[in-house]
């Protein structure tokens, strides 16, 4: 896509998709206290929606249902201001978020919202930053933001910033969203967290040699997550995403996933896995080069 030839739009909407950690191993701990990991990210069709509108001034106006989040702490607002600062842009925007993803659920909602804000504002303001440049800004907002900016299913290592795009199957998932909020800091600092998992390969993951190292400690911290995993495990290889609280199960088709969800005592949703982010597909549709 040639950004110089983008269609100029004053208002549009973009999805901010959920992600799943199809597995998550903690492989060590650095001297600075950060944990090293291995994980495999895949996007879902399900997620939030962020609406963009150009302003005549340089203000960032936000509207959306984010209980307990101040304007200054809002990742969407911080992303917008970071892009203004990085590019010297003096344009503003009104941003409205339709929030569907649970906060603190391990689906990457906040990171995805921030990434979609950067992607959308880069187009709205025509600041012409490349994906690697946007990802560097995104990394200052959160470790998971770059994977949403790059927009492709990825094998991640380091502290999550070393990304390698992968092409994997795109099954349907049933995702349960227990009524629980898991504090990431509490999960990482738990004394029983496994911090020395052996590194694996994609082939080993495909053969079933993977897990989520946080499941054990989160099940101790949250009876609701434990109950959801126990119930979903009756139907197959259930797993938790991120540091919780959401849990998921891959299914052969949408009907199979829908039947499991209909019987579930825990609320949730079904969605198909996506190797290419729905946000990137929407951008490509909205901002096609002019044809001459």
């Amino acid at each position: 896509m040639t950004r110089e030839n983008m269609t100029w739009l004053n208002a549009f909407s973009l999805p901010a998709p959920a992600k799943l950690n199809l597995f998550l191993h903690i492989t060590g701990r650095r001297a600075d206290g950060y944990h090293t990991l291995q994980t495999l990210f895949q996007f879902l069709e399900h997620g939030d929606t962020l609406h963009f509108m150009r302003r005549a001034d340089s203000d960032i106006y936000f509207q959306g249902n984010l209980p307990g989040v101040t304007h200054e702490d809002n990742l969407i607002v911080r992303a917008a201001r970071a892009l203004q600062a990085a590019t010297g842009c003096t344009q503003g925007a009104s941003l409205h978020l339709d929030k569907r993803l649970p906060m603190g659920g391990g689906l990457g909602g906040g990171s995805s919202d921030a990434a979609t804000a950067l992607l959308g504002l880069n187009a709205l303001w025509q600041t012409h930053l490349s994906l690697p440049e946007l990802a560097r800004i995104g990394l200052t907002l959160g470790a998971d933001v770059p994977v949403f900016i790059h927009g492709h299913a990825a094998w991640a290592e380091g502290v999550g910033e070393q990304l390698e795009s992968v092409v994997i199957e795109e099954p349907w998932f049933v995702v349960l969203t227990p009524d629980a909020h898991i504090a990431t800091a509490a999960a990482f600092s738990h004394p029983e967290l496994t911090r020395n998992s052996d590194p694996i390969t994609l082939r080993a993951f495909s053969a079933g040699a993977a897990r989520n190292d946080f499941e054990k400690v989160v099940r101790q911290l949250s009876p609701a997550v434990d109950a959801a995993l126990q119930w979903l495990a009756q139907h197959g290889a259930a797993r938790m995403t991120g540091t919780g609280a959401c849990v998921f199960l891959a299914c052969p088709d949408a009907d199979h996933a829908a039947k499991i969800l209909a019987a579930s005592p825990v609320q949730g949703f079904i969605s198909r896995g996506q190797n290419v982010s729905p946000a990137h597909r929407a951008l490509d549709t909205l901002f096609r080069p002019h044809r001459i």
Side-chain angles (χ1 to χ4, degrees), residues 125-194:
W125 294 337
Q126 297 213 337
T127 44
H128 307 312
L129 294 192
S130 66
L131 293 183
E133 289 171 325
L134 289 174
R136 281 193 287 273
I137 297 173
L139 188 58
T140 68
L141 303 170
D144 286 350
V145 178
V147 74
F148 288 102
I149 289 175
H150 285 294
H152 203 283
W155 184 272
E157 298 193 3
V159 294
E161 85 288 7
Q162 299 173 24
L163 301 172
E164 180 182 353
S165 295
V166 297
V167 177
I168 54 178
E169 293 183 3
E170 298 178 321
W172 280 85
F173 292 97
V174 55
V175 181
L176 302 185
T177 58
D179 186 15
H181 182 99
I182 306 301
T184 301
F188 269 105
S189 63
H190 199 286
E192 295 185 31
L193 175 65
T194 298

Side-chain angles (χ1 to χ4, degrees), residues 201-220:
T201 63
L202 181 58
R203 178 177 293 182
F205 162 78
S206 300
R211 62 188 177 277
N212 185 329
D213 282 335
F214 286 100
E215 279 187 18
K216 178 182 176 181
V217 298
V218 172
R219 293 179 88 153
Q220 294 178 30

Side-chain angles (χ1 to χ4, degrees), residues 102 105 175-181 222-229 245-247 266-268:
V175 181
L176 302 185
T177 58
D179 186 15
H181 182 99
S222 173
V225 174
D226 180 56
L229 271 169
C246 294
V247 302
V266 181
Q267 64 184 355

Side-chain angles (χ1 to χ4, degrees), residues 53-75:
M53 182 175 292
R54 190 187 312 278
R55 292 178 63 89
D57 54 31
S58 61
D59 290 346
I60 304 300
Y61 173 80
F62 175 82
Q63 184 179 17
N65 183 26
L66 295 175
V69 179
T70 67
H71 188 73
E72 296 303 315
D73 290 334
N74 186 330
L75 282 175

